[in-house]
Amino acid sequence: MTEAAWGASGLAWLTGAPDGPPDFSRAAVLQRAADAVDRLGLGVDAATLLAGRAALRGWTRAGRVSAGGASRLLTAADGWWALTLSRPDDIDAVPALIEAECPGEPWGALAAWAADKPVAGVVARARLLDLPAAALGEAAAAPPLIRRAGPSGPGRGPRGALVVDLTSLWAGPLCGQLLVQAGATVIKVESPSRPDGTRAGDPAFFDWMNAGKLSCALDFDRDAAFLAQLLAAADVVLEGSRPAALTRRGLGPFDVAGRPGRVWLQITGNDGFPGFGDDAAVAGGLVGFDAAGDPVFCGDAIADPLTGIEAAGAVLEALARGGGEVITFALAAVAAGYAALPRHGGGQYPVSPPPRPRIHGPGPRLGADNARVGELVSRC
């Protein structure tokens, strides 16, 4: 894939300093992603999957501020690090992180606090407070971890497979959406007290990721027995929380016996630490560069859609070979694999905004399909 294709894809629109030229150095990322999408055989466009959220929101490149605004690239005494403050609890934790009051916006105080400290110590302290933080390039590329978990079954395709989607935000829901398009029946499971965060605000992104799925709303503690039945009936389980969240309820992949050939896919952040698409990309070293050669964010939370694409391919391959597996992806490790691709040189090419994705209908209303889901489970 050429630099010109990177510019036409909208990814150059999202990479580079806001007051400088777009960066084309990561054009090889689009080629590899396109190859991975082509192997799915669904006729979808890789560039739209990578940059479609920014198209829906009207975002552009903002340099060391992420396209969505929740993450920053900051300097420490010996390197760069990234922090995401996307949740109210994250912002509330900043005074504890910097050990000082922080009235108003937190980023200036964070930058001043970190400037004379080693990056490893800054990131370690942030993680003690459960904040999504990462040092630039700290994660190594690695294939997904595959473990045996139950008996295998006959190889099969995705059509008609029952998929339980416990994920939220982008990477996991994208994997689920691609499985919908491959012909699977996908049940999106959410807690009424803590639904997918993309239900809030503009619904277009939620619809894009979740159209065609059934919605089941249940309390993961009170309704644990039914959830266990659902997990046992599934051909595929998509899990996006920390693996311990289900395991401590006795609902992990090694706790709930499944049907032969079940594939359980886990998506984590960064080696067991919390992570979102932008900070995980930084952890993997998948960044762009400004005119001075300093790092800027690459695309929009690019570790998320890259992982969603790779995860969908892994599920299809696992089903075809008979399943009975737990497959664990880390956003940061996926990003590191793409970061290892050769960088492209400079040059001047036309740059287009990201293409708007085609949305296949509204996403499901929370809990709209509880009765139907119950019927599906009772027949298994």
Side-chain angles (χ1 to χ4, degrees):
M1 193 73 67
T2 65
E3 292 96 327
W6 179 260
S9 71
L11 289 161
W13 184 271
L14 298 168
T15 307
D19 55 352
D23 175 49
F24 294 85
S25 65
R26 295 299 187 178
V29 168
L30 181 56
Q31 179 63 67
R32 178 165 157 182
D35 292 343
V37 169
D38 287 346
R39 288 193 293 272
L40 301 177
L42 302 178
V44 295
D45 175 56
T48 302
L49 296 181
L50 297 183
R53 184 176 74 162
L56 292 171
R57 302 285 173 83
W59 293 339
T60 187
R61 60 186 180 277
R64 282 179 278 279
V65 178
S66 65
S71 304
R72 297 287 193 280
L73 264 163
L74 303 167
T75 55
D78 56 351
W80 293 87
W81 66 294
L83 178 68
T84 299
L85 301 178
S86 61
R87 304 165 295 190
D89 288 349
D90 296 333
I91 297 172
D92 291 343
V94 170
L97 174 63
I98 66 175
E99 299 181 285
E101 291 300 317
C102 186
E105 67 85 20
W107 294 109
L110 279 163
W113 168 77
D116 61 351
K117 296 175 177 60
V119 68
V122 167
V123 171
R125 180 166 176 79
R127 287 173 174 165
L128 285 175
L129 296 168
D130 209 32
L131 290 169
L136 176 61
E138 68 178 1
L145 174 65
I146 301 176
R147 293 166 287 170
R148 176 61 56 186
S152 60
R156 60 164 298 171
R159 187 160 298 279
L162 183 64
V163 179
V164 175
D165 181 358
L166 302 168
T167 68
S168 61
L169 302 179
W170 197 349
L174 174 57
C175 177
Q177 177 57 224
L178 293 171
L179 295 177
V180 168
Q181 295 182 41
T185 298
V186 179
I187 301 169
K188 184 174 181 64
V189 178
E190 301 167 83
S191 167
S193 63
R194 194 173 181 178
D196 188 331
T198 59
R199 285 188 178 274
D202 182 355
F205 181 69
F206 178 84
D207 293 344
W208 181 35
M209 289 294 102
N210 297 290
K213 300 179 185 179
L214 305 176
S215 174
C216 178
L218 53 80
D219 183 281
F220 281 39
D221 294 311
R222 188 179 63 246
D223 301 318
F226 178 74
L227 180 54
Q229 289 181 279
L230 185 56
L231 297 174
D235 297 298
V236 178
V237 177
L238 308 179
E239 179 191 355
S241 62
R242 295 183 189 179
L246 286 180
T247 299
R248 69 170 176 261
R249 295 178 169 92
L251 296 171
F254 302 100
D255 303 312
V256 179
R259 60 174 57 193
R262 182 180 68 187
V263 176
W264 191 300
L265 181 110
Q266 299 173 328
I267 297 176
T268 66
N270 181 11
D271 195 24
F273 297 109
F276 293 95
D278 283 305
D279 55 83
V282 170
L286 185 52
V287 294
F289 301 93
D290 63 16
D294 291 326
V296 295
F297 285 105
C298 178
D300 169 28
I302 198 165
D304 272 320
L306 289 175
T307 302
I309 292 166
E310 297 285 346
V315 168
L316 296 183
E317 291 171 2
L319 287 172
R321 63 177 173 257
E325 299 171 347
V326 177
I327 305 171
T328 304
F329 277 88
L331 296 173
V334 172
Y338 279 86
L341 297 171
R343 295 185 198 171
H344 285 236
Q348 296 295 321
Y349 304 92
V351 173
S352 301
R356 286 182 65 87
R358 179 186 175 192
I359 299 174
H360 297 280
R365 180 173 51 83
L366 183 64
D369 303 293
N370 276 19
R372 184 176 172 189
V373 171
E375 292 171 1
L376 288 171
V377 171
S378 68
R379 294 202 298 265
C380 294

